[in-house]
Amino acid sequence: MHSLGLAKPARDCRVVVAMSGGVDSAVTAALLVEEGFDVVGITLQLYDHGAARGRKGACCAGQDIHDAARVAERLGIPHYVLDYESRFRKEVIEDFAEAYRRGETPIPCIRCNQRVKFRDLLGTARDLGASALATGHYVRRLIGPDGPELHRARDAARDQSYFLFATTRAELDFLRFPLGELAKGETRALARRFGLAVADKPDSQDICFVPQGSYVRLVEQLRPEAGRPGDIVDMAGRVLGHHRGIAHFTVGQRKGLGIAAAEPLHVLRLDPEERRVVVGPRAALAETRLSLGEVNWLGPSATPGMAVAAKLRSTQLPVGARFFPGGTNADAVLVLDAPAGAVAPGQAAVLYDGERVLGGGWIRR
């Protein structure tokens, strides 16, 4: 397959594989064992395994830890389960609830990669004497003239580069993504060839730490103010109706407003201080100038006004834009070539040059 681009031969290289209990990380481990690497599997327990055991679509708890252990046993590699519950709660779950309190729409998967998997787990892999940390993400790490670059996966339908934009250059030096050239069907076929019990296991769905997909209940427990009732108003501030808490809404939302109107209304803005949901016609969503915070840059040095392709939600196609880097302590600015509807604060804007991830940042209110 490939040697991971490490200086020493495979038999002299320890590689830690982040094993979530799913088919992708299982195949990642199996491929590296087949190549002769000294593979160590690590599974992170991220939240209460009792509540999650047997739940379909969860990851990093109960059943998944069991599945990862079975795969490791099949492959004959050591497998460790690390309790990251407290740091996951602080860095991901609390952050998720706080974002809703601020009237934003968060992406906990990016925070988990950024703050738990690629920071804390990567440090643990180094402590274990590993030469690399390998994951089952569908993304490619290619070597360019200035070192490792992050590129989209070969299989566009599986590409996860949007969720990895916050990966730093130093982390990219140490990370490897063996599945980046494969289609999902090829991964499952490999799992069957390796005799892995998870070959036909469904992919995880929804937000892993939210039981039965009811994130509002979790947000209201952690940030009760996000569940307090308030007014639904039009752009002029006239009250059109009432809501049960801003945690129920995201910018661009059309369904579930409970208002009768002559034309379809969309959520334009959330005002957490006044507990107001501002609604209006779709045309009023037309945004062309966005502020980006916490920008992570992986491309060549950014020049003001450089042309980029910007992905504003994980499920949307990229749109043309111009990027203006922020100065010290200042947000960057992204100016879209044409208005894009439903630009939601708290989502990420990930910037591309063709297949290459240049970087990205968080869309501010």
Side-chain angles (χ1 to χ4, degrees):
M1 191 188 137
H2 53 58
S3 65
L4 297 189
L6 298 171
K8 295 183 289 190
R11 67 178 180 276
D12 298 329
C13 293
R14 172 169 291 169
V15 178
V16 165
V17 177
M19 298 182 70
S20 66
V23 65
D24 298 326
S25 57
V27 169
T28 298
L31 287 169
L32 297 179
V33 168
E34 186 175 62
E35 278 191 66
F37 287 100
D38 170 14
V39 177
V40 176
I42 291 185
T43 301
L44 304 181
Q45 185 200 303
L46 297 180
Y47 51 89
D48 175 34
H49 46 96
R53 184 178 294 279
R55 243 186 64 221
K56 286 189 167 55
C59 87
C60 304
Q63 184 62 45
D64 290 310
I65 292 173
H66 174 70
D67 289 343
R70 281 172 71 203
V71 168
E73 188 178 10
R74 166 84 186 168
L75 298 175
I77 61 171
H79 176 248
Y80 302 101
V81 179
L82 303 183
D83 181 356
Y84 276 31
E85 204 168 319
S86 60
R87 63 187 89 183
F88 182 76
R89 183 179 179 86
K90 175 171 168 276
E91 299 284 7
V92 180
I93 300 179
E94 291 281 347
D95 179 85
F96 173 81
E98 179 61 21
Y100 272 105
R101 187 201 64 76
R102 290 194 305 262
E104 297 176 356
T105 306
I107 316 174
C109 295
I110 295 180
R111 286 298 193 205
C112 182
N113 288 326
Q114 177 188 24
R115 296 179 172 178
V116 179
K117 291 178 181 167
F118 292 174
R119 188 180 70 192
D120 296 345
L121 177 56
L122 194 143
T124 299
R126 286 192 197 279
D127 291 343
L128 287 170
S131 302
L133 171 66
T135 78
H137 287 104
Y138 286 86
V139 64
R140 289 179 298 153
R141 174 192 182 274
L142 304 179
I143 301 299
D146 299 315
E149 301 174 355
L150 196 61
H151 287 247
R152 294 178 202 269
R154 180 74 65 212
D155 180 353
R158 302 299 308 181
D159 175 54
Q160 290 172 295
S161 59
Y162 179 87
F163 297 99
L164 300 183
F165 89 85
T167 307
T168 66
R169 287 177 186 272
E171 290 164 351
L172 200 52
D173 274 340
F174 196 70
L175 286 162
R176 298 295 188 275
F177 309 105
L179 304 188
E181 300 285 350
L182 300 180
K184 185 71 180 204
E186 293 175 293
T187 300
R188 291 205 185 275
L190 282 168
R192 287 189 278 275
R193 172 163 82 76
F194 288 123
L196 305 180
V198 293
D200 298 307
K201 183 175 176 177
D203 290 337
S204 57
Q205 302 291 330
D206 303 322
I207 298 163
C208 67
F209 54 85
V210 177
Q212 281 74 51
S214 174
Y215 73 88
V216 175
R217 201 175 316 150
L218 176 73
V219 171
E220 288 174 347
Q221 277 175 355
L222 296 174
R223 297 291 186 277
E225 55 271 44
R228 289 185 185 135
D231 295 329
I232 299 176
V233 302
D234 66 13
M235 294 162 75
R238 286 187 295 261
V239 176
L240 305 180
H242 306 284
H243 66 78
R244 294 179 295 136
I246 60 168
H248 291 267
F249 301 92
T250 183
V251 170
Q253 181 176 330
R254 183 170 68 85
K255 296 188 170 124
L257 300 181
I259 300 170
E263 62 175 331
L265 296 175
H266 296 256
V267 175
L268 305 180
R269 195 171 70 249
L270 299 174
D271 181 352
E273 286 76 26
E274 301 293 330
R275 300 207 302 271
R276 295 194 309 182
V277 175
V278 183
V279 299
R282 182 171 176 76
L285 282 168
E287 292 273 2
T288 56
R289 188 182 177 88
L290 317 178
S291 284
L292 303 185
E294 290 181 60
V295 170
N296 182 54
W297 196 253
L298 291 169
S301 58
T303 53
M306 69 185 288
V308 297
K311 209 165 160 57
L312 304 176
R313 289 216 184 201
S314 64
T315 53
Q316 289 179 357
L317 291 171
V319 295
R322 303 207 165 267
F323 177 69
F324 296 84
T328 314
N329 301 327
D331 284 351
V333 173
L334 189 67
V335 179
L336 307 180
D337 294 348
V343 175
Q347 294 283 294
V350 180
L351 313 179
Y352 295 85
D353 174 14
E355 298 290 298
R356 183 180 179 183
V357 179
L358 295 174
W362 298 95
I363 300 169
R364 299 298 197 203
R365 280 183 69 214

